[in-house]
Amino acid sequence: MSGIDGTAAFDALRRAMAENSEEPEGPARNARAEHLLAEAEKLNIPLAVIEALGHQLKVYNYSSEKDKMFVPFARLLRMWDERPEDFDEYEAHSLHWVFKWMTSGMLDQPHVPLASIEKWLGEMEHRYRLAGYSERAVRSAEFSVAAHIGDVARAERAYAAWLAADRDSMADCHACELHGQGWWQAERGRGERALELWAPVLDGEFACAHEPHTALASSLAPLLRLGHVDEARAHHLRGFRLVRPLESMRGAYADHVEFCALTGNEARGLELLAERPAYFTDSGHPRSRLEFLTVVTLLMERLSGLGLGERRVPGPAGRAWTARELAAHARAEALELAGRFDLRNGTSHVSELARARMAQEPLVERLPLGVRSARPTVAPVAVPVPEVPAQDEPVEADLPTLLAEARRLSDTLQPHAVEAWAAVARAAEGVELDVRDRAEITDHRAMDLGPAGVELFERAAELYAEAGDPGESLAARTRAAYVRALTGRLEEALAAVTEPYDRVLALYAEDATGLRQTAAVLMGRARVLMRRVHEADEPVDPAVLGAADASAREVLALVDGRTGDDVRLASRAAEAQAMLAELAALSGDVEAAARLFARAAAAFVGAGLPWFAVEYEARLAGLAHHLGDTAEAERALRAALEHGGPHLEAPGRAQLHLQLAEVLGGQGLSEEAADHALEASHWADEAGEGPTLGAWARHQLGGFLLRQGRWAEAAEVLESALPDLTAETHGDGAVVQTQWWLGDCLSELGEHREAAERRLQAAEIARHWPEQHDHATLAHLAAESLGQAGLNEEADRAYTRAGDLWRELGNIHGLVRSLRARAWLALRAEDGAAGADGARELMAAAVRECAAALDEAPDEEACARLTAELGHTHRQFGDLLARSAAEDDEDDSIQAALEDALARMTEAVTVLAALGDTGRHARTGAELAAGWLEADLGRPTDAAARARAVLAAYEGAAEEDGAAQERRAEAEQLLQVTEEG
């Protein structure tokens, strides 16, 4: 740059500073600014140095090296005092603007004396008064000083004076002011008022470089304290996405870590810490470092409280850290730093705030976020069992109580009955028991062991026989047989169940055993026969199906109508109904299966055993969905969740929520569907199925959020799902759809380069599919994103690829739109006339393709659609021709371009008129565009005629017809222009 003289060199410097401003925040950008200042000093142009110093100030302010701001500002101020005429209007304004940065910057550095800050505040007030600025910015700065040192009375006075003073060009932007005002209300415990003040920022009415980033972060704790957990979750997902790439936002980043610690999302909090290792040690902005260290302490002490103190965690570089070690380190660092601020301020306010923040208790036990994050593993906790009251009597005295409770739970089929029997077994160690008690303990121990319980069931059978209960002995042997069937020993199980079955029927006929014991044996046999059905090859032998059906009906015949208040017998009848339902489903009678599953579920609920109904409600939901009865599917799933209550295990709960989400989503109820998909992702993570079921739930959740236009939340969730989604587990369709949705979100968020990348990745997978429509659509969308990102050459290649695919698919609309898009790209190219010529050729090709397809339209509907496409193409051709006329072209050239454009617009009007009322809006739009061209060509009479034609087209149009009113307003404007001209 030093080799270029004068204006050219200054222009090059300005371009370099503009480019550097677009680089990511951080030391690299700062170093570049320092280099550019050195280059500016070589030019011998005072304004160049002033602008380079201003640029340096800006990048320092938006970085972790805020402490470097003071030197360039002091130099700028000295230059202003010595030669103010060297500053242009913009730089003079900027100099006064950054006075505010200096005040807050000094406040954030504990080594700067409070007296110096107060003196600087006075200097700011004096200079603003001289320059004719309002007191508003000064009082805002004074408020910041008072609030920081804990002088509430002065802060309230300054706050009131700040709001009372006039807004002028020195006032912070609306977004920043509202954030500061809301922050104070939150600090004073007025959370609702804070949220009211932040609302215009959070809703997007006001924004700036760091808003709504900080308002979203600041709102998290107040929302949690007010119980608005859904909003808090949304603000975390939206806000963290904004904060993540900005190095200067350590304080807001800390708010998100705090949110994780207060909502049971400790694992996500650790992920956030791991993303920013430099935040532990960056010393350029001590106040945000203090904020960060306090929430690190909060999170680490929370982990220690959960029994995870020895867990390895991310921390300052140079060594490995456990949660307990980092908690102690961060607390000591935070308190030392807070002490330095307090020593400077002469108060204890900063330390008090730090201690209070570190001592917070969780505000929500567990708030699912929908993003991928494994829950920290807590040390195993024993399942609660009835405690034996401490008393002087020996343990044997407690056994009757424990036995009675265990029998009550097992007789009524209550959850945790097995655990209650385990408590009996522990209490009975070393105690002489009668044989019946030992039989029941052994029996339930076998149930607890599952597949390993065969031998204990056989031992229980021996003990029941010894106790004089042959029916229960046979039931225990049947349970052993069923366990054999479950472990794949089916033939052995069938043999083992035969004798108990024959014997129990004989005993029952002789009144030598009861109905309950007989039903238990018959049900055990039915279960074994059902296992044979499930293990049979397809199609299942009718004889096998028949035997299972007969066994289930035999159970029903035995107990139906005879259950009385006996819960066990009622459950046998309900289970037999469920078996018949399953057999009906296997036989292809879906309607009968649905009816029988509904009957089984109702029977379990009627018996007071709703948790047993869950499986059958879920099966019913699947069948109802198959039959197209979405209302019944929804009802059954809701019932399953309700009936399962606290007894549902995490995998089942995840499945039910996910099924319900899909049913609701299919009805267009995306908001409630998102709630259930969120629950599904949470419970899948709890079940250790995050990479499988959890990834699918996140995929669905992202789609439901996208439907609601919640782009940032959807993007965060979809990005979280992608690492776990695989073609092998979830299907390549799910991977493509997730990339597709993510591309849509990123496009809406203005992240066009990233959107293009996602769409191209999806297109590459879809390229290998037999049906190529998705491939073509994704290529087209990727081209749009590339064009919006300014990557015109890449966009043209992508549109060309899409156009080739549309042609192969016979999709003329896609082909024409790709040609039109390429025409506009060519017009934007930097090769002048050649680009304009190429643009015209491409648009002409689009017209030819569309016209040729219209000539061969197969039916009226296709004809109408192609007519609309052709009219729109003529309209775009006219727009393109008008814009191709450069301001520095010869008058004749401009005239010719406008004439050509008008001819195309006129053609568009003619084509669209053929559509009648359905094409009215498109036709009048083209008519108005032609009218403006007539005006530009100096033909006011013709322009007015077109305007009147549009007004006539909408004569009598309803007020609520927005498009009609817009067209009328534009036509009136065109008439006014022609009359004035």
Side-chain angles (χ1 to χ4, degrees):
M1 191 182 296
S2 59
I4 306 173
D5 293 328
T7 303
F10 195 2
D11 289 343
L13 174 71
R14 283 172 164 164
R15 285 195 299 273
M17 289 190 292
E19 291 169 3
N20 195 44
S21 293
E22 298 302 316
E23 292 298 312
E25 294 178 355
R29 186 170 76 157
N30 295 353
R32 175 66 174 157
E34 291 161 7
H35 171 75
L36 291 174
L37 174 60
E39 293 294 313
E41 289 169 338
K42 299 174 184 176
L43 299 180
N44 198 29
I45 301 174
L47 184 58
V49 175
I50 291 166
E51 290 187 13
L53 285 166
H55 174 65
Q56 196 177 72
L57 261 174
K58 180 179 179 181
V59 299
Y60 283 157
N61 184 59
Y62 293 108
S63 79
S64 61
E65 298 180 309
K66 292 178 185 284
D67 55 335
K68 291 185 174 182
M69 289 193 299
F70 305 113
V71 172
F73 182 74
R75 184 176 173 188
L76 266 177
L77 193 59
R78 185 172 64 252
M79 292 175 73
W80 169 261
D81 289 338
E82 292 173 355
R83 288 180 57 84
E85 64 273 16
D86 289 341
F87 288 69
D88 61 16
E89 183 179 353
Y90 178 82
E91 292 304 329
H93 180 276
S94 297
L95 175 70
H96 286 83
W97 180 269
V98 295
F99 262 91
K100 299 180 293 184
W101 295 357
M102 293 306 106
T103 306
S104 62
M106 291 178 180
L107 203 60
D108 296 338
Q109 305 290 334
H111 69 275
V112 178
L114 188 60
S116 298
I117 297 171
E118 296 283 6
K119 180 180 177 182
W120 185 256
L121 191 60
E123 178 74 8
M124 177 182 174
E125 183 172 10
H126 172 68
R127 287 182 180 262
Y128 274 35
R129 189 180 298 116
L130 285 177
Y133 293 122
S134 160
E135 274 195 339
R136 192 175 182 93
V138 177
R139 298 285 77 85
S140 173
E142 181 188 5
F143 160 76
S144 298
V145 174
H148 172 66
I149 65 177
D151 187 341
V152 175
R154 183 186 179 194
E156 291 283 18
R157 289 194 303 273
Y159 181 89
W162 165 23
L163 271 60
D166 292 335
R167 275 189 60 83
D168 65 357
S169 62
M170 277 299 115
D172 283 342
C173 75
H174 283 290
C176 287
E177 283 209 330
L178 288 171
H179 174 255
Q181 293 161 21
W183 172 85
W184 180 241
Q185 299 300 327
E187 283 291 297
R188 302 302 297 152
R190 299 185 284 264
E192 289 282 12
R193 178 58 182 149
L195 292 168
E196 289 174 9
L197 286 163
W198 288 328
V201 183
L202 299 173
D203 295 342
E205 183 179 347
F206 300 119
C208 68
H210 279 183
E211 292 295 350
H213 315 41
T214 52
L216 285 164
S218 296
S219 72
L220 296 173
L223 285 169
L224 290 174
R225 292 192 179 95
L226 291 166
H228 304 324
V229 294
D230 291 336
E231 280 186 78
R233 176 197 301 112
H235 286 199
H236 169 64
L237 294 178
R238 278 180 62 202
F240 184 68
R241 186 172 190 83
L242 294 171
V243 167
R244 179 189 277 134
L246 301 177
E247 184 208 36
S248 63
M249 301 204 71
R250 179 163 53 182
Y253 202 98
D255 290 338
H256 287 280
V257 176
E258 177 185 53
F259 168 84
C260 295
L262 297 178
T263 58
N265 286 287
E266 298 84 7
R268 180 163 171 84
L270 293 176
E271 291 172 1
L272 267 56
L273 296 186
E275 285 191 32
R276 285 291 188 183
Y279 276 175
F280 288 98
T281 52
D282 282 346
S283 58
H285 191 237
R287 179 138 62 148
S288 69
R289 181 165 181 258
L290 170 59
E291 293 167 349
F292 185 74
L293 289 170
T294 57
V295 300
V296 170
T297 305
L298 172 67
L299 177 60
M300 294 306 127
E301 292 184 351
R302 170 71 178 148
L303 287 170
S304 298
L306 290 171
L308 298 167
E310 302 311 311
R311 179 186 173 125
R312 294 284 292 275
V313 295
R319 55 160 289 186
W321 295 91
T322 65
R324 185 170 289 106
E325 291 167 343
L326 185 56
H329 170 80
R331 175 175 284 275
E333 291 270 306
L335 291 177
E336 188 276 333
L337 192 48
R340 286 164 52 198
F341 277 106
D342 284 339
L343 182 63
R344 187 271 303 276
N345 299 338
T347 68
S348 60
H349 182 64
V350 175
S351 293
E352 289 168 2
L353 289 178
R355 286 192 172 89
R357 195 172 194 185
M358 292 187 288
Q360 292 177 99
E361 292 295 326
L363 297 171
V364 181
E365 182 180 351
R366 176 71 164 152
L367 178 60
L369 301 178
V371 291
R372 176 174 174 259
S373 185
R375 187 167 174 80
T377 304
V378 183
V381 178
V383 176
V385 296
E387 294 185 6
V388 181
Q391 49 189 352
D392 295 333
E393 295 181 53
V395 172
E396 294 93 319
D398 298 321
L399 281 176
T401 302
L402 290 170
L403 274 167
E405 176 63 9
R407 283 173 178 146
R408 183 189 70 79
L409 291 173
S410 57
D411 284 347
T412 56
L413 299 176
Q414 297 297 307
H416 308 306
V418 171
E419 288 91 333
W421 280 104
V424 170
R426 286 193 296 275
E429 286 182 10
V431 177
E432 190 68 31
L433 297 173
D434 68 37
V435 67
R436 175 72 191 201
D437 294 341
R438 286 189 284 127
E440 290 183 82
I441 291 172
T442 304
D443 200 4
H444 286 89
R445 173 64 177 152
M447 296 177 194
D448 193 26
L449 289 175
V454 172
E455 292 182 4
L456 277 180
F457 275 129
E458 297 287 6
R459 175 59 183 151
E462 295 172 2
L463 291 169
Y464 281 126
E466 187 180 339
D469 191 341
E472 202 60 60
S473 174
L474 293 170
R477 287 178 58 191
T478 305
R479 286 191 279 276
Y482 181 53
V483 171
R484 290 187 178 94
L486 288 175
T487 55
R489 296 145 65 186
L490 188 57
E491 293 305 319
E492 187 180 337
L494 288 166
V497 82
T498 301
E499 183 191 357
Y501 170 71
D502 292 338
R503 284 188 59 197
V504 83
L505 288 177
L507 288 171
Y508 183 65
E510 298 169 1
D511 289 331
T513 193
L515 179 60
R516 179 187 283 192
Q517 289 83 357
T518 306
V521 174
L522 265 60
M523 178 53 73
R525 177 173 177 268
R527 288 171 177 168
V528 171
L529 290 170
M530 287 298 294
R531 287 303 304 170
R532 183 168 66 164
V533 169
H534 288 304
E535 293 188 12
D537 294 330
E538 295 286 347
V540 183
D541 185 340
V544 172
L545 288 171
D549 183 89
S551 68
R553 294 183 187 279
E554 188 177 25
V555 174
L556 277 174
L558 178 68
V559 302
D560 210 11
R562 304 173 63 193
T563 59
D565 294 330
D566 192 321
V567 172
R568 279 183 175 271
L569 290 177
S571 76
R572 302 297 186 207
E575 188 176 352
Q577 294 278 9
M579 287 178 173
L580 292 175
E582 196 162 348
L583 291 167
L586 288 169
S587 301
D589 192 346
V590 178
E591 291 184 0
R595 187 172 60 253
L596 288 165
F597 274 129
R599 192 178 300 169
F604 275 120
V605 174
L609 303 170
W611 47 89
F612 283 114
V614 172
E615 177 185 351
Y616 307 116
E617 294 280 17
R619 295 288 301 278
L620 171 58
L623 294 173
H625 196 272
H626 176 77
L627 291 167
D629 190 348
T630 54
E632 176 62 5
E634 179 186 341
R635 184 212 61 76
L637 290 166
R638 291 189 190 279
L641 284 166
E642 178 187 349
H643 293 152
H647 310 300
L648 264 178
E649 294 186 357
R653 193 179 294 274
Q655 288 279 7
L656 289 171
H657 277 297
L658 185 54
Q659 286 177 265
L660 184 52
E662 291 171 347
V663 169
L664 292 169
Q667 299 174 50
L669 303 172
S670 57
E671 190 168 337
E672 189 181 358
D675 292 340
H676 286 285
L678 176 67
E679 289 294 323
S681 68
H682 162 66
W683 289 109
D685 289 344
E686 291 288 304
E689 297 183 15
T692 51
L693 183 62
W696 180 255
R698 278 182 266 281
H699 158 81
Q700 295 280 21
L701 173 58
F704 295 136
L705 291 171
L706 178 142
R707 289 189 203 174
Q708 298 171 60
R710 295 160 66 177
W711 314 114
E713 296 167 65
E716 198 73 11
V717 170
L718 293 168
E719 285 175 344
S720 177
L722 269 175
D724 291 326
L725 285 171
T726 64
E728 295 75 21
T729 302
H730 305 94
D732 56 4
V735 179
V736 167
Q737 183 65 80
T738 303
Q739 296 274 26
W740 193 329
W741 282 337
L742 182 53
D744 291 348
C745 292
L746 295 171
S747 179
E748 292 288 343
L749 292 168
E751 300 174 32
H752 299 299
R753 187 184 293 261
E754 295 78 5
E757 182 181 346
R758 295 300 184 182
R759 288 166 166 175
L760 288 169
Q761 289 170 352
E764 181 58 26
I765 298 173
R767 182 170 70 87
H768 303 285
W769 292 355
E771 210 291 314
Q772 288 289 284
H773 186 272
D774 285 343
H775 180 201
T777 304
L778 285 162
H780 200 114
L781 289 170
E784 287 181 7
S785 294
L786 289 164
Q788 289 169 316
L791 302 171
N792 292 347
E793 291 184 13
E794 293 88 340
D796 185 72
R797 287 197 294 270
Y799 275 125
T800 302
R801 174 185 176 189
D804 291 342
L805 289 166
W806 291 130
R807 188 185 296 280
E808 290 173 15
L809 289 165
N811 188 319
I812 191 64
H813 298 278
L815 172 59
V816 167
R817 290 167 190 175
S818 66
L819 287 167
R820 291 199 308 244
R822 290 181 61 203
W824 285 109
L825 286 172
L827 188 65
R828 291 203 298 267
E830 296 181 358
D831 49 0
D837 290 343
R840 293 188 189 96
E841 289 173 10
L842 285 163
M843 198 66 83
V847 169
R848 287 194 301 273
E849 293 284 357
C850 200
L854 181 58
D855 289 341
E856 300 177 5
D859 52 47
E860 287 187 11
E861 182 182 353
C863 182
R865 292 182 62 229
L866 285 165
T867 298
E869 196 76 73
L870 179 59
H872 192 56
T873 304
H874 279 300
R875 164 74 193 272
Q876 284 207 30
F877 203 166
D879 285 336
L880 181 138
L881 290 168
R883 295 184 194 183
S884 67
E887 291 183 4
D888 56 355
D889 284 350
E890 297 291 333
D891 289 347
D892 290 347
S893 176
I894 294 175
Q895 178 87 4
L898 294 180
E899 291 284 5
D900 289 345
L902 178 59
R904 288 293 174 179
M905 288 298 180
T906 302
E907 186 66 23
V909 172
T910 302
V911 171
L912 293 168
L915 295 173
D917 285 346
T918 59
R920 180 166 56 165
H921 294 327
R923 175 178 62 79
T924 54
E927 188 86 70
L928 286 167
W932 289 111
L933 287 168
E934 301 272 24
D936 289 341
L937 287 165
R939 300 168 188 166
T941 302
D942 294 338
R946 292 186 183 275
R948 292 190 184 96
V950 172
L951 290 172
Y954 290 110
E955 188 173 348
E959 287 293 326
E960 57 270 19
D961 187 341
Q965 298 309 320
E966 286 179 13
R967 291 285 191 273
R968 288 183 61 85
E970 188 179 349
E972 295 282 4
Q973 183 186 8
L974 179 55
L975 271 178
Q976 183 179 353
V977 168
T978 59
E979 290 168 0
E980 291 174 353

